[in-house]
Amino acid sequence: MIEQPAYTGFGFSDEEWGLLVGLPQSVLTAASAAESDGTRRTMAESAAGLEGIAAGRESASPLVAAVAGEIVGRVGDPEAGEELPVIAPADPRAMIDDVLARAGQAAALLAARVDEGQAGAYKHWLVEIAEQVVTAAPSGGILGLGGDVVSDSERRFRDRLSQVLND
């Protein structure tokens, strides 16, 4: 007997599942790119985001748990000391706009395919990942001291993400 991929149980196509599985890591990268922080802070943001993604495996939502499990299976488990490579997009604004557009597509897809509870859990998880990234390392300051915990550009990204997902 051939085992069916996990996403078929949720009624998604391979392409649709790819959108849902790719989005959390893209949110992590976009949230980090919202403010140019330097390598050390970006690494801290990446680690916090990966932990947020991995935490989704413990979600009461089967959809979030399945997506998180697949991502961790692909990129590594932070509990095992694995880290994501730091990605610095060539055009952060364009990358952020692309992530927000895909978030809107995912919200529409979820509204059409899963119940409100599953959709809400997935969208909340994405915003939580963004929140963990933007609060992982203060921006500005001198030698890592002072500065804002969340910069205006990071706050704007997080708020725009929440708005796109919940409109």
Side-chain angles (χ1 to χ4, degrees):
M1 186 167 128
I2 298 173
E3 188 174 322
Q4 294 294 316
Y7 60 82
T8 60
F10 295 104
F12 296 114
S13 69
D14 186 49
E15 182 179 336
E16 292 165 338
W17 188 248
L19 170 67
L20 296 176
V21 170
L23 198 52
Q25 194 173 348
S26 294
V27 164
L28 182 167
T29 302
S32 182
E35 181 73 33
S36 179
D37 291 317
T39 303
R40 187 179 58 76
R41 289 181 178 131
T42 300
M43 288 176 64
E45 291 171 343
S46 182
L50 183 56
E51 287 182 20
I53 290 170
R57 295 177 297 177
E58 305 300 321
S59 174
S61 162
L63 175 63
V64 172
V67 170
E70 185 154 332
I71 295 168
V72 170
R74 290 180 183 182
V75 302
D77 189 343
E79 292 176 9
E82 297 179 36
E83 297 177 1
L84 288 174
V86 173
I87 299 171
D91 185 347
R93 291 290 130 221
M95 193 265 187
I96 288 169
D97 289 344
D98 176 66
V99 169
L100 292 171
R102 288 189 288 136
Q105 292 169 355
L109 172 65
L110 292 169
R113 295 284 174 81
V114 298
D115 67 52
E116 195 175 303
Q118 293 293 327
Y122 180 87
K123 293 184 292 187
H124 176 77
W125 179 52
L126 290 181
V127 174
E128 191 61 32
I129 292 165
E131 179 71 16
Q132 286 184 265
V133 171
V134 301
T135 59
S139 298
I142 299 172
L143 300 175
L145 302 173
D148 297 321
V149 172
V150 180
S151 72
D152 289 341
S153 57
E154 290 170 328
R155 186 175 296 109
R156 261 191 312 278
F157 171 74
R158 181 200 56 213
D159 293 349
R160 284 177 62 203
L161 176 66
S162 180
Q163 181 180 17
V164 164
L165 289 169
N166 293 301
D167 274 352

